[in-house]
Amino acid sequence: MRRLSFLRRLVWPSVLLIVAAGLVFFDQDVEQRVGLSLRLLGGVVGCLAAAWLGSRLFGLFADRRRRHKRPYPRLFRDLVAVLLFFAAIVASAALLLEQGLLGALAGSSLILAVLGFAIRNVVADTLSGIALGVEAPYRIGDWVDIEQVARGKVIEIGWRTTRVLTLDSTYMILPNSQIARRRIINYSAPKPQYRAQLSLKLSHEVSVDAAKEMILKAVREARLIQTEPAPDVRVQELGSDGNSYAVRFWLSRFERDVDCRDELLSLIDRAMRQAKVPTPRMQIELNRPLGKAMLPVDHETEVARIFAAPPKAEHIGA
């Protein structure tokens, strides 16, 4: 049944192409019987029929690919059809106007320039959509992070807009020109597996080796992250107010990111409380000028002044 439906989609373009070819090749016989040359009509109909048949064939190929791999975006399929019909119209114009192909292209370019100036915003979105469709930085089903715009799953890629479903189940429709100017992070390419990390800060009282061992022991109890490759802990900085650590782990897909971070932070917090790890504290050193004595009372007053809250504004009555 599926093959029969595919063949039905090719019947009318094929019949029209055969009829046009007959009008061109048997023009003399047709002219003797009808008294009118239909060669020009056959050429125009043949160009349009060839474009129609080519677009149908590419559509069948895209539908067949859908069952095995990720589908082609609708934008790419429409773009192929538009290019085929544009070439057919240019060829038909060249036949009707009895001028060369370059002249027909020049006339078409002039018309496109006028229309493009009138609808330049739409043209900008459309051209950006074509560029995104050709370069394919993301495809339907990919999880992407568009800088300062959106973060979610690509649902549809159109001529003017791209539709994204966020983690909060919010349906966002974004102009392609806005996406093309932003940095795009694709979490699904080249593979859905990727590595994420958490940043922690622990007190100096806990040695680096002890901190690593405690964090790794807590992380190994997580069930949502991948065990292979194994998670690890790296020291980022030995700061004045504590040591910074990076907890690196692997995820199978992006939609688990929030749940994995929640699980890891909960496990690490539980391990720190059980080990009674002190929280990092900011250290501030106060220096007084050399040779100037300061009484303890004056020292406490100066400390209170530095850390005191800013005074509230007083309202002066009239």
Side-chain angles (χ1 to χ4, degrees), residues 44-96:
V44 174
V45 173
C47 293
L48 297 176
W52 189 12
L53 181 61
S55 63
R56 286 290 178 88
L57 289 174
F58 183 79
L60 294 178
F61 171 75
D63 292 340
R64 186 175 181 180
R65 176 188 169 90
R66 183 189 299 271
R67 301 194 302 270
H68 304 285
K69 301 179 181 179
R70 288 187 297 180
Y72 283 115
R74 184 170 61 90
L75 170 64
F76 188 61
R77 300 174 62 177
D78 294 343
L79 178 61
V80 172
V82 168
L83 291 177
L84 290 175
F85 277 100
F86 179 76
I89 292 174
V90 171
S92 301
L95 291 175
L96 293 174

Side-chain angles (χ1 to χ4, degrees), residues 286-307:
L286 297 177
N287 297 321
R288 61 184 176 83
L290 296 176
K292 182 178 180 181
M294 180 177 290
L295 297 176
V297 177
D298 297 334
H299 177 75
E300 294 178 359
T301 303
E302 183 68 15
V303 172
R305 185 186 66 81
I306 293 175
F307 292 99

Side-chain angles (χ1 to χ4, degrees), residues 193-299:
Q193 179 189 31
Y194 74 100
R195 186 172 67 182
Q197 73 175 30
L198 294 173
S199 296
L200 300 175
K201 182 171 288 188
L202 300 182
S203 174
H204 290 295
E205 300 178 12
V206 183
S207 64
V208 172
D209 294 335
K212 284 185 176 182
E213 183 179 357
M214 179 189 63
I215 296 173
L216 279 177
K217 183 178 179 181
V219 170
R220 291 192 183 105
E221 298 178 6
R223 299 181 178 180
L224 297 180
I225 66 174
Q226 290 188 330
T227 57
E228 291 294 335
D232 58 7
V233 180
R234 294 289 184 268
V235 181
Q236 289 183 316
E237 181 184 2
L238 300 178
S240 60
D241 56 342
N243 300 333
S244 299
Y245 300 87
V247 184
R248 306 188 302 179
F249 54 94
W250 288 84
L251 301 177
S252 59
R253 53 184 185 271
F254 177 76
E255 53 265 37
R256 289 188 173 184
D257 184 85
V258 176
D259 295 333
C260 290
R261 292 177 183 272
D262 176 75
E263 182 185 32
L264 290 178
L265 289 174
S266 300
L267 292 173
I268 295 173
D269 177 74
R270 185 188 307 168
M272 292 174 58
R273 293 182 183 276
Q274 291 177 353
K276 297 181 179 180
V277 176
T279 58
R281 298 178 179 87
M282 181 178 296
Q283 299 180 0
I284 300 178
E285 183 178 354
L286 297 177
N287 297 321
R288 61 184 176 83
L290 296 176
K292 182 178 180 181
M294 180 177 290
L295 297 176
V297 177
D298 297 334
H299 177 75

Side-chain angles (χ1 to χ4, degrees), residues 145-148 178-185:
D145 184 2
I146 303 172
E147 183 183 15
Q148 299 179 353
Q178 184 179 6
I179 298 175
R181 293 191 297 267
R182 302 288 181 175
R183 183 183 63 183
I184 302 173
I185 301 176

